[in-house]
Amino acid sequence: TGSGKSELLVSWALALCETYAPEEVSLLLADFKGGTAFDPLIDMPHVTGILTDLNGSLARRAVLSLQAEIRRRESMIASAGARDLTDERVTMSRLVIIVGEFAARLRQHPALDAVLTGVAARGRALGMHWILGAQRAAGIIRDATLANAPLRIALRVTDAADARAIIGTDDAAEISGGVEGKGVAYVRRAADARAQRFRSALSDSTDIARIATRYPTVTRAESWWDPLPATIAVHDLPTPSRGIAVGIADDTE
């Protein structure tokens, strides 16, 4: 807590938005603690949804939605006669799922782990990628997930075991607990012999506004649909090609 994790994730998301157009990369943001860390990004054209405060039914909905997204991407790739997203016959954006704090919900909803592991294992081919944040790592993040997460970042932690679980050394446990330690982290890639120290950038509203104005409004295939509203106005219903529209259906799977 207080190490700068949320700020790092927001800056990372903005860096992706700066580098890639919405047609190339979409972002699905999740804060399983029900916080407001990602609220500043809600109007970014890349953002396909923000999940917050997942209770039991919404957690199940998240699992079903992500499983449906996996099947949709597999179907599109197969229909193009391709093996993965890198084939030029496939026109589909990459989806980056950024989770602010997943460990708490993982303990309460084990089904999330199966989806997480599946995306981590097949993500490169499907164009789906996780960025997972957690306050603790040792004994919480499973080996199957870590094995498919070659890019590791550790901000300040209080337990050396957490630092070792992520970057293989105690370095992150030695970062100062004062203001000078905020945003300081160690990053280790698959080919690195040792983690490298760096400081995360701190983004503000001017950064968000500058990047958002670069892109026109785009229409994306949603990766997450909100639950049905309590009421629906007739004039909000889509006009059918035939027949009469009387409502909207929810088929999460």
Side-chain angles (χ1 to χ4, degrees):
T1 301
S3 63
K5 176 163 54 67
S6 296
E7 288 78 6
L8 184 150
L9 292 176
V10 168
S11 291
W12 195 343
L14 284 175
L16 290 171
C17 296
E18 176 86 63
T19 307
Y20 302 101
E23 295 81 5
E24 297 174 287
V25 172
S26 298
L27 304 179
L28 178 62
L29 311 176
D31 187 347
F32 287 174
K33 292 175 66 178
T36 58
F38 295 132
D39 282 0
L41 301 174
I42 195 168
D43 293 325
M44 291 297 297
H46 301 71
V47 174
T48 187
I50 296 182
L51 319 183
T52 61
D53 195 18
L54 292 185
N55 57 30
S57 61
L58 286 181
R60 179 177 179 274
R61 187 180 186 83
V63 170
L64 293 175
S65 295
L66 290 175
Q67 288 173 335
E69 180 66 11
I70 290 173
R71 291 193 299 270
R72 184 182 77 87
R73 288 173 173 264
E74 288 175 335
S75 176
M76 290 184 67
I77 291 172
S79 298
R83 295 183 60 184
D84 56 41
L85 192 73
T86 61
D87 193 301
E88 62 182 12
R89 292 172 293 179
V90 180
T91 56
M92 185 166 46
S93 69
R94 293 186 179 273
L95 174 65
V96 180
I97 308 162
I98 305 179
V99 183
E101 175 57 61
F102 77 100
R105 287 298 171 187
L106 200 59
R107 289 191 295 268
Q108 297 177 26
H109 302 284
L112 282 172
D113 186 62
V115 178
L116 188 155
T117 303
V119 172
R122 294 181 288 167
R124 181 177 298 180
L126 299 177
M128 296 177 70
H129 310 278
W130 289 107
I131 297 177
L132 300 171
Q135 291 185 352
R136 297 289 309 279
I140 296 176
I141 303 178
R142 302 188 180 186
D143 291 342
T145 301
L146 287 174
N148 289 288
L151 177 62
R152 317 279 186 81
I153 297 177
L155 291 108
R156 175 177 53 81
V157 294
T158 56
D159 191 334
D162 287 317
R164 290 193 297 270
I166 296 298
I167 58 173
T169 68
D170 296 350
D171 291 337
E174 298 171 0
I175 298 173
S176 169
V179 175
E180 65 276 8
K182 288 183 178 295
V184 174
Y186 286 86
V187 58
R188 186 170 186 174
R189 297 162 298 181
D192 291 341
R194 188 176 179 87
Q196 304 297 313
R197 184 182 174 102
F198 79 105
R199 183 187 292 276
S200 168
L202 183 63
S203 306
D204 59 27
S205 58
T206 58
D207 298 309
I208 296 172
R210 174 180 56 82
I211 297 171
T213 55
R214 290 178 50 188
Y215 303 104
T217 302
V218 295
T219 302
R220 297 178 302 273
E222 298 291 341
S223 302
W224 163 267
W225 285 356
D226 290 324
L228 292 176
T231 58
I232 303 170
V234 172
H235 59 73
D236 288 336
L237 289 174
T239 302
S241 57
R242 55 188 297 181
I244 301 172
V246 296
I248 59 175
D250 181 4
D251 184 6
T252 309
E253 292 88 348

